[in-house]
Amino acid sequence: MSAPSATAPTAPPPPAPRPPARRGVELCLIVGAVAVALYGYAEVGLADGGRLPPDAAGYGGGLAALALLAHLAVRARARYADPLLLPIAVLLNGIGLVLIHRLDLAPSLGPEAADSQLVWSAVGVGLFITVVLALRDHRVLSRYTYVSGTAALALMVAPIFFPAVNGAKIWIRCAGFSIQPGEFAKVLLAVFFAGYLSANRAALAYTGRQIIRIRRLDRLGWVRRLQLPTARVLGPVLVIWLMSVGVLVLERDLGTSLLFFGLFVVMLYVATGRTGWIAVGLLLAAAGAFAAGSLEPHVHSRVQDWLHPFATIDAGLGPSQLAQSLFAFAGGGLLGAGLGQGHSYLIGFAAKSDFVLATAGEELGLVGLCALFLLYGLLVARGFRAALALRDPFGRLLTVGLASLLALQVFVIAGGVMDLIPLTGMAMPFLAQGGSSVVTNWIIVALLIRASDRARRPEPEPVPGVLEVAA
């Protein structure tokens, strides 16, 4: 028998097929989103005056131009980004403009806000394009972890030195111009949390003193430990808790406090994988909320409204804003009264901002509300999907944090106007009137676009001959 011949050189494996970029799908969905918003605008005009609004073509053309510019930026610099993120943002922003325009038709609500909201939306899309074009790699943001934390703290403290508006110190007003710094601070905090937790996740997860050990009474004999990290690592956690309580007490802003602390607890859980942090976070949040609700009159009144929403009716003072909101949801029924045919403007000055979801509930019904929540759910789920596919811990945590910001904000606002939790006075993402809010949400979507592009982008093909030289 002859000896076996030498092993023949094997051919390199064929390159993996490139995943489809799906930019055409994105463009088709954007066209559909603009069409839905334009239909809603025309429906409001027909309900109000019996004819199509004369500026419908201008409204649809402006929204389409903004969406097209954003699409071209994604096509140029984020070719493999998730094709659903941008169309969902365009649709939510378009529906929000329609709802605000519909409420503008009620003269009792003050000056018109839809034009201003359209201008702020254009500014937001401009920043979206800037972020997509200028930020080539999201990992660059990890270099500015502590700069982001310091800037966020400064933005959170700044409104304390300005007069309160409607009982809360969350605005900076100067020369007729006003911004809400907390909206920008939440993005900076997400960058800070992602940078800090990705650098210290091992110390948070595996070091420290074990204070309790629980053995489950099942066949697996699974052991659960509750372990506190060292004081050096635990210090920033307590600082964040104290900062959240400070915002709640000094600025009387329950929503921002809940949002900041919820964001940190979620990111801490994702970084360490320890459910004990969720329990600790809930206990600290409950302690802070109980103390603020007992000692701060503004927060105490919000809690009382939540517990007794019809108390003003029983007292002969008429329905409160929360009661009007509940009446609007009940009046909407399954299919709603139709755009422009509801009475949610009776809620008062906050109808365009805090309670804009009540207008959607009354005029679009339960079906319309479910569609809106489905859009928000898709936006958050696609963010989480991008996070799962990312390989770097910083990007994974940052993407989870940004998606969680949207989820927490929707839960806090929807829960408040539906009387599930106390009212917080925050803006529904993309739907509610608020320049700072809509600009910040477009920045969040831009960062999610950039992260999803990195997650879906194929690895560069190896250069022929490089492997042989290295060997």
Side-chain angles (χ1 to χ4, degrees), residues 149-303:
T150 305
L153 186 59
L155 288 173
M156 291 166 62
V157 171
I160 295 175
F161 305 103
F162 290 83
V165 178
N166 298 326
K169 293 185 175 183
I170 58 176
W171 293 93
I172 293 179
R173 293 179 181 271
C174 183
F177 184 77
S178 62
I179 63 170
Q180 194 172 348
E183 292 288 341
F184 302 99
K186 63 187 184 185
V187 179
L188 295 171
L189 275 180
V191 174
F192 168 71
F193 289 158
Y196 177 79
L197 294 175
S198 60
N200 296 278
R201 65 184 189 282
L204 285 164
Y206 302 114
T207 64
R209 177 177 297 178
Q210 180 177 315
I211 60 175
I212 190 171
R213 183 186 181 96
I214 301 173
R215 183 181 296 276
R216 286 185 57 177
L217 299 177
D218 56 15
R219 296 179 179 178
L220 299 178
W222 186 57
V223 175
R224 175 72 68 182
R225 301 171 181 170
L226 181 58
Q227 191 173 19
L228 284 181
T230 61
R232 183 181 64 84
V233 179
L234 188 61
V237 180
L238 296 178
V239 168
I240 294 300
W241 177 67
L242 291 173
M243 191 169 63
S244 301
V245 176
V247 169
L248 179 59
V249 173
L250 296 177
E251 300 185 3
R252 304 169 184 174
D253 189 2
L254 179 62
T256 303
S257 175
L258 285 174
L259 188 66
F260 288 168
F261 194 73
L263 171 67
F264 181 68
V265 172
V266 169
M267 295 180 71
L268 186 60
Y269 169 69
V270 173
T272 62
R274 289 187 173 275
T275 53
W277 282 114
I278 298 292
V280 173
L282 291 176
L283 288 175
L284 290 176
F290 177 78
S294 303
L295 302 176
E296 171 55 44
H298 180 72
V299 179
H300 180 73
S301 66
R302 291 290 180 95
V303 175

Side-chain angles (χ1 to χ4, degrees), residues 53-377:
D55 57 347
Y59 166 77
L63 186 62
L66 291 176
L68 181 61
L69 289 175
H71 167 74
L72 292 177
V74 174
R75 183 180 284 270
R77 290 296 178 88
R79 179 174 175 79
Y80 291 95
D82 192 310
L84 289 182
L85 293 172
L86 181 57
I88 292 175
V90 171
L91 180 55
L92 288 173
N93 203 162
I95 293 175
L97 288 170
V98 169
L99 293 176
I100 295 171
H101 168 67
R102 177 265 172 277
L103 291 168
D104 280 345
L105 299 178
S108 60
L109 296 184
E112 296 183 355
D115 292 341
S116 174
Q117 185 74 359
L118 183 58
V119 172
W120 281 112
S121 299
V123 174
V125 173
L127 288 176
F128 170 91
I129 294 172
T130 302
V131 171
V132 171
L133 295 181
L135 184 66
R136 304 296 296 269
D137 192 331
H138 64 272
R139 291 172 292 185
V140 173
L141 297 176
S142 64
R143 303 174 186 171
Y144 307 101
T145 296
Y146 291 98
V147 173
S148 300
T150 305
L153 186 59
L155 288 173
M156 291 166 62
V157 171
I160 295 175
F161 305 103
F162 290 83
V165 178
N166 298 326
K169 293 185 175 183
I170 58 176
W171 293 93
I172 293 179
R173 293 179 181 271
C174 183
F177 184 77
S178 62
I179 63 170
Q180 194 172 348
E183 292 288 341
F184 302 99
K186 63 187 184 185
V187 179
L188 295 171
L189 275 180
V191 174
F192 168 71
F193 289 158
Y196 177 79
L197 294 175
S198 60
N200 296 278
R201 65 184 189 282
L204 285 164
Y206 302 114
T207 64
R209 177 177 297 178
Q210 180 177 315
I211 60 175
I212 190 171
R213 183 186 181 96
I214 301 173
R215 183 181 296 276
R216 286 185 57 177
L217 299 177
D218 56 15
R219 296 179 179 178
L220 299 178
W222 186 57
V223 175
R224 175 72 68 182
R225 301 171 181 170
L226 181 58
Q227 191 173 19
L228 284 181
T230 61
R232 183 181 64 84
V233 179
L234 188 61
V237 180
L238 296 178
V239 168
I240 294 300
W241 177 67
L242 291 173
M243 191 169 63
S244 301
V245 176
V247 169
L248 179 59
V249 173
L250 296 177
E251 300 185 3
R252 304 169 184 174
D253 189 2
L254 179 62
T256 303
S257 175
L258 285 174
L259 188 66
F260 288 168
F261 194 73
L263 171 67
F264 181 68
V265 172
V266 169
M267 295 180 71
L268 186 60
Y269 169 69
V270 173
T272 62
R274 289 187 173 275
T275 53
W277 282 114
I278 298 292
V280 173
L282 291 176
L283 288 175
L284 290 176
F290 177 78
S294 303
L295 302 176
E296 171 55 44
H298 180 72
V299 179
H300 180 73
S301 66
R302 291 290 180 95
V303 175
Q304 290 301 313
D305 289 341
W306 167 53
L307 295 174
H308 310 288
F310 304 111
T312 56
I313 299 177
D314 297 335
L317 302 176
S320 64
Q321 287 183 324
L322 182 56
Q324 291 278 12
S325 173
L326 297 177
F327 292 152
F329 283 117
L334 182 62
L335 299 178
L339 278 171
Q341 302 181 47
H343 300 84
S344 60
Y345 56 84
L346 296 174
I347 293 174
F349 66 91
K352 299 177 186 176
S353 52
D354 303 12
F355 290 92
V356 71
L357 193 66
T359 301
E362 182 179 15
E363 303 193 356
L364 301 178
L366 180 61
V367 174
L369 273 182
C370 290
L372 286 176
F373 288 140
L374 180 61
L375 289 175
Y376 283 118

Side-chain angles (χ1 to χ4, degrees), residues 377-396:
L378 277 175
L379 194 60
V380 174
R382 304 302 284 197
F384 287 157
R385 180 174 179 176
L388 289 173
L390 284 171
R391 301 170 184 85
D392 63 296
F394 171 79
R396 200 175 302 150

Side-chain angles (χ1 to χ4, degrees), residues 8-16 461-468:
T10 58
E461 297 180 4
V463 179
V466 172
L467 182 62
E468 289 76 3

Side-chain angles (χ1 to χ4, degrees), residues 152 155-156 159 170-171 179-190 251 253 255-256 259-260 402 405-406 409 413 425-430 432-444:
L155 288 173
M156 291 166 62
I170 58 176
W171 293 93
I179 63 170
Q180 194 172 348
E183 292 288 341
F184 302 99
K186 63 187 184 185
V187 179
L188 295 171
L189 275 180
E251 300 185 3
D253 189 2
T256 303
L259 188 66
F260 288 168
L402 295 174
L405 271 177
L406 295 172
Q409 199 160 336
I413 300 165
M426 297 183 69
M428 199 74 175
F430 291 112
Q433 174 193 2
S436 304
S437 173
V438 73
V439 168
T440 306
N441 288 317
W442 272 111
I443 294 175
I444 290 175

